[in-house]
Amino acid sequence: MSHIGSYEERVKEFDWSLSETELDYKDGDVLNIGWYCTDRICKMGKADKTALIWEGLGGQEKRYTYNDIRVASNTIGSFLRGLGIKNEDRVCLFMDKIPELYFGFLGILKIGAIAQPLFSAFGDESLLVRLSNAETTAIVTQRKHVSKVRKIIDQMPYVKHVIVVDYDGKKPLREREIAFSLEEAAPVDEFEIYPTKAESPSVLHYTSGTTGQPKGVKHVHYSLISQYLTAKWVLDLQEDDIYWCTADPGWVTGTSYGIIGAFSLGVTQCVMDVGFSAEAWYKFIEKHKVTVWYSAPTAIRSLMKCGDEPVKKYDLSCLRHLASVGEPLNAEAVIWSERVFGKAFLDTYWQTETGSMMITNFPGMKIKPGSMGKAFPGITAVVLDTETYEPITEPGKVGLIGFKPGWPAMMREYWRNEETYKSKFINGWYIPGDRSSIDNEGYFWFTGRDDDVINTGGHLVSPFEVESALLEHEAVAESAVVAKPDEVNMEVVKAFVTLNAGFEASTDLELKIMNFIRKKLSPLAMPQEIEYVNTLPKTRSGKIMRRLLHAKEWGEEIGDTSTLEDDE
Ligand code: WT7
C-alpha cells in the first residue's frame, strides 16, 4: 500500500474538497496556478529546494530552485505585461523544451493570460490554423523556429508580438519581433499576480478530431484541484522524489503533469531537451537518480525493442514508481518493465479534454496487465450502449466510455465551437470517444477509438488535416489517409493518393510528398507510406470511404459493403 492509503479507502471517503483543503483554497478565493506552482512553495519554506533540473542537447545542465522559477516567471510575466498583454489574451509558446518554456508558461498564467503551447516540430500550416482559431496576441519562440512564424505572419493581423528568447543580434529582427533574454533582464522579485479565480481561463491546448480543424480545448485555473491530487496519488509524488515526465508541454501531459502537477506539489523534476535514445534515457535516469517516471507506451516499446542489454549497463535502482499514458499499453510492455526495472508501468487513461487522469492504476492496486485500471476516486466512469447511451451492466461487454461531468479539470469549452462541445455530451454523460469494456472487478479494458483519428506514438493526428495538406501538393488529385499498424508506434499515418495528369508514380515523388507534409504539418503527421491508386473507394455521393481502406490495412473483415456505400 502506498503512503496515501488504499484505493478502496480513497474511493469511500472521496471529495474534491480534500484537494482544496490541502491547497488552502476556499470557494471564491483568488486561484492562480502560476502562484501555486512557485510563490506558494517558497512561502512553505522551500525557496531553496531544486524545482527544475534541465539538460540540453549538448549535455549542458542547468538547475533552478523554487525561488529561481518564482522570479523567472515574474520576470517573463512582467515583460509580457509591459508589451500590453493582458488577462485572457492568448499567448502561444512555440519552443523546444528549454527552461523559458516552463517559466514562460507560469509567467503567462501569472498575468491572467491564456497559455497556448504548440509543439515546436509543427510546420507553418499546423501553426497557422491553431493561431488563427485562437486569434493569438503573442508568440514566444526561439531563433530556430522564427522562420516558420515569418512564413505566416502576414496572415495573422491579431499577432502583435513575436518574442524571441535567444536572440543573438546577428540577423536583424523584423516588424513585430522583439528580443527577450531571461539572463539579461532585470529579475522581478515582487510581482503583482493577476487575481484569477477558479473559472478564469488558463490553458488552451489544440487537439485533432476526425473532421474539421483542430479544436482548442479551454481549461481554467480550477483544473489545479484535480491535477494536484492525481499527481500526488497516482504518480505517488513525495517530498524527496526526483520526477521525470517525458512529455513535451506542447501536449497536455506535458502541462498537467510536466509542469502543474509536480510544481504545485513542490517536487523536484527534471527535463531532457533531447530526442529519444534508449542509452541517453537510461543514462539520464541514472545520473539524476530519477525515482518517479511518467512516460508513454511508444517510448516503452522502443526501449523494449532495444533489449535488456542497455538496461544492464546502468544503475536504475533509483526508480521507485513508473506510469504511462497516451495510447494502449500492451500487457507485454507491462510485463517487460516489471522484469527489467523491477517495477511495472502503471497505465493511466485520460485526454486533453479531461485535463487530468480519469482511469488509473492506483498505487497498491492489483495490476492486470493490458487493463487501464479503475476510475480515479471521485470519477464516475461507465461504458455506454452505443444505441441507447445507457450504462452497460454486463461485465466484458464493449461500449463507449462515459464520464459523469463535474471533476475540476474538465475542459470548459472548445474555443469558439459550442456546437462540437455540446455534441460530446449525451444523456448527461461526457463521451471521450473511446471504446472499452469493464470487467467484474471494475477494471477498464480499452478496445479502440470510436472515430478515424490516428493515434501515432501517443499523438493524435487528424486524417482530415493530412488529406487537406496532401491536396495542396501539385501532384495530388485525391487523397485518403488512414492508420496503418506499426510495431512500435501502434499506428502510423498511411496515405492513398491519385495523381494529377502529368505526374508519374515514383519513389522519388513519394519522398517529396512525405517531406512536403512533414514541413507543412509535422513529422508526426507525415505519412510513413504513400500508396498510389487509380481510384479511391467512394460512396454514391462521392465521399471517400476511409473505413474500407482502414479495414484492408488491418486485415479486417470489410463486412457489408452496401452499408459502407451509404452516406452517413
Ligand atoms: C486519447 C487522448 C492525456 C494524455 C495524452 C493524450 C488515447 C490516452 C490511453 C490509454 C489507451 C489511451 C485515447 C484518448 N489514450 N490514454 N491509457 N490507453 N488509449 O491526450 O492527445 O487528448 O489523446 O488518447 O484514445 O481519447 P490526447
Side-chain angles (χ1 to χ4, degrees), residues 206-208 251-253 257 294 297 324-329 347-356 359 372 432-434 446 448-450 455 458-460:
Y206 274 77
T207 190
S208 298
W251 314 102
V252 73
T253 309
Y257 297 100
Y294 194 26
S324 161
V325 68
E327 31 162 353
L329 179 65
D347 199 9
T348 65
Y349 165 94
W350 55 293
Q351 48 172 205
T352 309
E353 286 88 338
T354 69
S356 62
I359 297 172
M372 305 194 290
D434 289 306
F446 181 85
R449 288 185 61 93
D450 195 46
N455 188 338
H459 299 292
L460 303 188

Side-chain angles (χ1 to χ4, degrees), residues 125-157:
E125 182 93 19
S126 291
L127 206 54
L128 179 62
V129 296
R130 289 160 177 81
L131 295 172
S132 56
N133 181 257
E135 296 193 333
T136 307
T137 303
I139 305 167
V140 188
T141 190
Q142 285 165 273
R143 235 163 45 221
K144 68 197 269 201
H145 299 303
V146 167
S147 61
K148 292 191 267 188
V149 176
R150 284 181 179 169
K151 261 194 191 159
I152 51 172
I153 191 86
D154 289 343
Q155 298 169 65
M156 304 191 294

Side-chain angles (χ1 to χ4, degrees), residues 183-491:
E183 265 121 51
E184 284 161 30
V188 176
D189 192 55
E190 294 289 322
F191 189 62
E192 201 182 311
I193 294 175
Y194 187 87
T196 45
K197 293 283 188 80
E199 292 303 309
S200 306
S202 54
V203 182
L204 188 64
H205 271 297
Y206 274 77
T207 190
S208 298
T210 315
T211 53
Q213 296 296 0
K215 295 159 291 192
V217 177
K218 188 182 99 175
H219 287 292
V220 295
H221 284 263
Y222 194 60
S223 69
L224 172 71
I225 305 300
S226 333
Q227 289 153 347
Y228 168 89
L229 202 70
T230 46
K232 180 167 176 176
W233 287 5
V234 181
L235 298 175
D236 197 25
L237 291 173
Q238 301 171 34
E239 188 57 41
D240 295 329
D241 275 317
I242 306 286
Y243 167 62
W244 185 28
C245 170
T246 60
D248 187 301
W251 314 102
V252 73
T253 309
T255 56
S256 290
Y257 297 100
I259 303 181
I260 304 172
F263 287 151
S264 66
L265 279 158
V267 161
T268 300
Q269 64 168 326
C270 37
V271 165
M272 183 187 188
D273 184 22
V274 185
F276 176 85
S277 105
E279 298 254 347
W281 276 33
Y282 295 144
K283 202 166 153 189
F284 187 77
I285 292 170
E286 181 188 65
K287 180 173 169 201
H288 300 293
K289 301 200 168 41
V290 172
T291 57
V292 179
W293 185 16
Y294 194 26
S295 198
T298 288
I300 301 163
R301 284 190 293 266
S302 306
L303 293 172
M304 217 167 123
K305 214 176 160 194
C306 297
D308 296 7
E309 282 316 303
V311 185
K312 291 182 189 148
K313 283 204 226 159
Y314 300 91
D315 178 6
L316 306 179
S317 59
C318 46
L319 289 171
R320 178 178 70 74
H321 189 63
L322 321 181
S324 161
V325 68
E327 31 162 353
L329 179 65
N330 38 321
E332 297 79 6
V334 177
I335 294 162
W336 177 77
S337 72
E338 188 150 32
R339 182 167 62 74
V340 300
F341 304 125
K343 304 275 174 317
F345 270 96
L346 304 187
D347 199 9
T348 65
Y349 165 94
W350 55 293
Q351 48 172 205
T352 309
E353 286 88 338
T354 69
S356 62
M357 299 170 184
M358 302 300 283
I359 297 172
T360 70
N361 279 277
F362 207 81
M365 200 167 98
K366 175 174 71 182
I367 301 170
K368 299 188 181 184
S371 157
M372 305 194 290
K374 298 201 209 191
F376 183 79
I379 301 292
T380 307
V382 293
V383 294
L384 300 165
D385 183 280
T386 47
E387 308 262 303
T388 62
Y389 291 96
E390 291 295 333
I392 294 173
T393 47
E394 198 183 317
K397 193 161 178 239
V398 175
L400 281 174
I401 296 177
F403 295 118
K404 196 166 174 195
W407 67 97
M410 174 60 175
M411 70 165 160
R412 296 303 195 262
E413 64 177 41
Y414 282 132
W415 192 255
R416 293 179 187 160
N417 190 349
E418 204 182 330
E419 205 183 313
T420 311
Y421 176 76
K422 281 193 175 148
S423 73
K424 295 277 173 176
F425 298 86
I426 304 178
N427 257 2
W429 298 100
Y430 167 68
I431 317 278
D434 289 306
R435 284 179 272 119
S436 175
S437 64
I438 309 177
D439 70 15
N440 54 3
E441 291 182 295
Y443 284 73
F444 283 72
W445 297 81
F446 181 85
T447 58
R449 288 185 61 93
D450 195 46
D451 59 18
D452 290 340
V453 170
I454 301 165
N455 188 338
T456 177
H459 299 292
L460 303 188
V461 172
S462 149
F464 169 81
E465 229 183 328
V466 183
E467 286 164 1
S468 311
L470 282 166
L471 295 183
E472 289 176 45
H473 191 281
E474 54 173 6
V476 177
E478 286 177 313
S479 68
V481 166
V482 297
K484 164 183 146 168
D486 183 82
E487 198 192 334
V488 171
N489 291 281
M490 287 301 258
E491 301 185 346

Side-chain angles (χ1 to χ4, degrees), residues 153-173:
I153 191 86
D154 289 343
Q155 298 169 65
M156 304 191 294
Y158 35 85
V159 174
K160 302 275 184 304
H161 313 280
V162 178
I163 298 130
V164 186
V165 298
D166 59 353
Y167 183 59
D168 58 3
K170 283 195 185 138
K171 288 190 190 145
L173 290 174

